[in-house]
Amino acid sequence: LASWSAGPGACRGPRAADMASRSSPGSAAASAARLDALPERFVVTENVVAKELEDIEWPRDLDDSRAIEAIEERISRYTAFSEKINAQLSARVMANYNEFVQGMQQVQAMETEVTLIGVLIKNGRRKLHERDLGIVQGSMMVSRKYKKAQRLKRLLELLSEFQEVAHAHARLGECLGSELYCEAIDQHSALRDALAADEFRKFPGLAGLKDGLGQHLVLVQQKLSDGLRVAAVSADFDAERYEEILKAYSMMSHDQALSVGKELLRHVTECIVAVSKQCVLMYAVDVTQGSPADGLQKAQLRDLCRSMHPSHFSDCMTTLYEHLCNFLYRHQFLCRWHEFRAQGVASEDDRERSRFREVLREVQSELVASKRNVWEYISQQVSHILISLEFQYPGLSEESFLQILHLTQMLIDEGDAFMADYPLASRSGSSTSATTDRRRQWSAPIKNTLKSKAHDYFQSLHAHAWVAFKADCIEKEDNWQRLPVARSYQLIRKERLQCGIIKKDAGGKGDAAPKVRTAESNPFKNYKPDLAAFAVEECGEQGGALEGRGRDDAADDVDEHALLQHWIDDNDSLAPEQIGSSMLSNSNRSPVVSKATVELARLLERYFRMMGAVPQLALDVFQSAMQLVEFYMHCVLFLFVQDRHSRAFMEDLEAAQQAPNAEARLPQRHEALLLQLLCPELRRAITRSRESMASSSFGGDAQGAFNGLAMLQVTPFPKLNSPSTLCGLSERCTAVESVFALIAALRDVRPLLTERLPKDKQEAVDCLSSQEVLAAQLRTLVLRSAASDVLEVPQMGRVSMDHFSNTMQALRWDVRDFSTSPGAPYFEQLRAQIEELSRRIPSAGGGSIPFATQRLVWRWMEVRIMHECAEVVAKCGRKKTPEALEQLAKDFQSIRMSVQQNFRSNAGDDSEEEPPLLPEEHPLALTARWEYLDGFMKAHALPADKILEWCKGASEYPLRLHRALIEYVQGNPKTQRQIVMDFEAFLAGRIAQAASELSSGASRAGGPRGI
């Protein structure tokens, strides 16, 4: 607006404005005055209408005519202003229009000239470019030709160098193929130096060849390692090739060369594993469906071992041990070769061979140091195979097991010889024995494993032998007949106790063994086991019967052999009347043995051989053998003693004392205690053996169905109630006497057993002394039971003991006149029965019972008759008069004389004094003498006030005898009951005390007389 208000010339540009200002200075002042007259809002850039609306006062009354007039008046004023301004603007535009048109024309002309100049410049530059292009192209062609020539020259030089590199690479391959390891190392070094030049770094192909140097080095190292493998385990040793390999290692740098000793050790260990698997696979059952190679890759060594049949164990271990010994020999040979070669190279002063000498010394030290690792790895591998094999009897025979022990011991000897020169760290104050013990520890893994497997095998053998012995020997009737053997017969022979394992010097040559062992001196090469040394000898009845005939004198041999032949042939060649006392006496001089005893002796011989074969288990094997002896005694006891007597003998009196019916069972408990006091050590041993067997079970495949409780079940001998066989008298006597023969045989080999036990455990053989005591008490119990059965079985004779006492009780003993004894007929029957038994007992079992045993049986029969006489006195009760007691004493004396007369007539020697059945210090010694009956009859004359004291001092009498005696002496029923109650209380206390002493073992036979 300001420009338009300045006048018509203001729109003509700067020049027109300048001209206008110079031509009319008054018009500019007039325009400024006019602009000042306008309100301010018309000369600003803001919206005029909006400003006007803001100035209006709101609200306004539009009905007011004055307001409307004011608005209209302002509108008209502003309209007039606007019309004036527009008129001035139009006039100015029209005044300057021509100048504007001229300016526009001038601008257009200027633009046309500039365009023409640009076209001319472009044409000139194009023509200049065309001229320069020819010059540049020529120069560039000349330059390219020159550079190409230079590059071709350089390329020819590179190709020549590439040819040299390729030739070195080809030569490296040829050397590797020809096993020229030293030259291969030289070519590799040259190729590496050539490729290390800067000019080869920018060529990718050569860069790949340079990268392939590492593969070539690996190939060289692999070739060298394969050569070491051949040298370490191959049967043929090529010294030149091995030395070439060592020289190649000496030419390699420390970062390239591997440890030769470690490589040799690695190859040996790998070959040990591979050969072990191959040997086992050779004898194992095919556990895979593929080829043997597939089985070798897939099957585990443990599975292969478990699939092998036990009959192949010894052959497999022989083959395996042969290869393992060859590994030891080759390792030892390499050690000695390095020692010898180092001495030869040490005298040379060549500097180039200094590195070779250093390698020789390093490998020698590494080989010596790795001997421990080689033997330990062989030990671990052998231990692993031994653990995986199933050592169970009877799958693995005893001969095969002993062979494996022998083979393994031979391997241990070879290993000890291999480690003999291994350097040990010196310890201050260590002795030679300590050093030897430390050297023996190298074979500890194999020895421990062998001990463990031997223990497992022996446990299975012991279980099988135990069960088989019970089933085949104990439970068969014909095994308890006396065998016809010579007087020189030995149940256990020392020559049969020698085990098949004989320790030899390593190498099997003794002192002649070569210093350097080779495959030719391998003890396992072409190994042939000595079957005679490992064979388990079996001896039949006839073989034992004919043994040692030449040692007897001629007069006795005739009778003895005639009777032996009669027994063997089982015919009627000898009439019964021809078998006289002389023939029987001669035959009875031989040991009394049964088939069961012979089988047990053979079993013990196997155990004692095992003690020599496995010294580490000698104590366990010996204890197992003694366990079998105690089991044998246990079986003899329960076979040949009546079931009621064996139950009373083994009754737990301490437990019975706590039972609700303890008072009612006081008589039975007292009789059981008397029976237990008869053989206290035997009862303790049998109780201990039963507890041990009850807590044990037999595992394994062979006898898994049996356990300790089943072994304790022994069925009594069927002939115990057979009158025709005198209640199995001959079998009973044979059984107990064969136990004595067995104990005597054990006593003869006691020094050998002591020698085979460890030095700190040799006191274990002292149990053989206690076995003699047990055998004596077993004979006492069995023969006492046999004598009682012979007299108590009703069908045995004219009258049994029970029938005899009951018949005697029914007679009239209340009279005073005894001109004749009322029991005379019955005593005559008893006397006749005794005479008949005196004829039948010597002939029992075909006259197989030794006369000394017959004497023992007869004396125990005398004791049984004596006890029945006491029963007769007790059963007669109060009705018997003093005269009746005197008559009974006379009758008993006649019976005593008859028994002793028949016995002495059979003995044929009245001058010989018989030893007592029980020793004087035995608590029941009185019960085996006639003073037992005499004392009981004399007690009937005691005053009533002394009877309780006598009863307390004579508790070896059964309770029923005490009650009958108290009833006879004491007439007052009330006093009788009181005395009986007092004595029963006293007896119950003594039973409890004695039972405690029996169970604890604190008291033996040296106590006071009585309980």
Side-chain angles (χ1 to χ4, degrees), residues 73 95 98 134 150 193 236 275 298 324 362 400 411 430 486 549 623 724 729 828 860 868 873 920 963 990 1009:
E73 189 271 333
N98 292 329
Q150 295 294 327
D193 295 339
D236 299 327
V275 169
K298 298 178 182 179
L324 295 180
E362 291 177 355
S400 298
L411 178 66
S430 59
R549 286 184 176 180
Q623 291 176 349
S724 61
L729 180 61
E828 187 63 29
W860 279 114
E868 196 62 31
V873 175
E920 292 295 333
R963 288 176 175 174
R990 296 299 294 271
R1009 197 188 76 170

Side-chain angles (χ1 to χ4, degrees), residues 184 241 264 278 347 414 474 518 702 753 972:
R241 182 183 179 189
L264 290 173
Q278 290 173 358
S347 59
E414 293 296 322
I474 301 298
T518 62
L753 299 179
N972 189 348

Side-chain angles (χ1 to χ4, degrees), residues 659-916:
N661 58 346
E663 296 182 0
R665 294 191 68 255
L666 184 61
Q668 292 83 356
R669 289 167 53 206
H670 185 215
E671 292 183 5
L673 178 63
L674 294 177
L675 187 60
Q676 293 176 13
L677 285 175
L678 182 64
C679 306
E681 286 79 9
L682 177 64
R683 183 186 180 278
R684 294 191 191 101
I686 296 297
T687 301
R688 182 176 62 253
S689 178
R690 289 175 64 87
E691 291 176 353
S692 176
M693 286 189 292
S695 61
S696 63
S697 61
F698 302 151
D701 298 335
Q703 305 296 336
F706 295 90
N707 53 34
L709 294 177
M711 296 294 293
L712 293 175
Q713 304 298 326
V714 179
T715 304
F717 196 64
K719 295 182 180 181
L720 295 185
N721 296 319
S722 174
S724 61
T725 61
L726 292 179
C727 300
L729 180 61
S730 64
E731 287 84 356
R732 288 179 170 183
C733 295
T734 301
V736 295
E737 292 301 328
S738 63
V739 173
F740 263 95
L742 180 64
I743 299 302
L746 291 175
R747 183 176 61 250
D748 293 339
V749 298
R750 178 172 179 171
L752 178 62
L753 299 179
T754 305
E755 180 182 353
R756 292 187 176 180
L757 285 173
K759 293 183 178 180
D760 56 340
K761 302 294 183 181
Q762 292 182 351
E763 65 275 4
V765 297
D766 295 340
C767 66
L768 295 178
S769 301
S770 63
Q771 297 292 343
E772 297 178 3
V773 177
L774 298 181
Q777 294 189 0
L778 179 64
R779 178 169 61 182
T780 298
L781 186 61
V782 173
L783 295 185
R784 176 181 179 273
S785 178
S788 299
D789 292 342
V790 168
L791 295 173
E792 291 176 0
V793 174
Q795 297 84 0
M796 181 63 64
R798 294 176 175 81
V799 58
S800 64
M801 289 290 97
D802 186 62
H803 185 267
F804 170 74
S805 59
N806 291 334
T807 304
M808 293 291 294
Q809 173 190 0
L811 298 178
R812 291 181 57 90
W813 299 103
D814 53 353
V815 298
R816 296 184 178 275
D817 183 14
F818 290 96
S819 58
T820 59
S821 174
Y826 303 103
F827 281 108
E828 187 63 29
Q829 291 181 2
L830 181 59
R831 192 176 296 106
Q833 182 176 349
I834 293 173
E835 293 177 357
E836 181 182 358
L837 289 176
S838 67
R839 293 189 299 270
R840 293 185 62 183
I841 289 178
S843 301
S848 61
I849 305 177
F851 186 71
T853 309
Q854 296 180 29
R855 292 159 64 181
L856 290 176
V857 174
W858 193 260
R859 294 179 65 189
W860 279 114
M861 292 176 60
E862 182 180 357
V863 171
R864 180 65 185 88
I865 294 173
M866 175 188 65
H867 285 196
E868 196 62 31
C869 292
E871 293 289 342
V872 169
V873 175
K875 288 181 179 181
C876 290
R878 294 193 62 186
K879 66 180 182 179
K880 57 182 177 290
T881 60
E883 291 79 7
L885 288 173
E886 295 178 0
Q887 184 61 42
L888 286 173
K890 295 178 182 179
D891 294 337
F892 294 157
Q893 183 65 25
S894 65
I895 289 295
R896 177 181 179 181
M897 296 298 296
S898 176
V899 172
Q900 294 179 350
Q901 181 179 1
N902 282 282
F903 172 69
R904 291 196 179 99
S905 64
N906 289 330
D909 186 4
D910 296 338
S911 61
E912 183 180 356
E913 184 179 355
E914 293 295 330

Side-chain angles (χ1 to χ4, degrees), residues 217-266:
L217 180 61
V218 172
L219 182 60
V220 171
Q221 293 174 346
Q222 183 63 39
K223 290 284 187 179
L224 293 176
S225 180
D226 293 342
L228 291 178
R229 181 184 182 90
V230 174
V233 299
S234 177
D236 299 327
F237 179 76
D238 189 349
E240 295 181 357
R241 182 183 179 189
Y242 181 65
E243 186 170 351
E244 178 75 12
I245 294 173
L246 294 180
K247 290 179 180 180
Y249 273 106
S250 66
M251 296 174 62
M252 299 173 66
S253 60
H254 291 284
D255 58 338
Q256 294 176 348
L258 300 175
S259 174
V260 179
K262 292 181 180 179
E263 281 295 298
L264 290 173
L265 178 61
R266 181 175 67 86

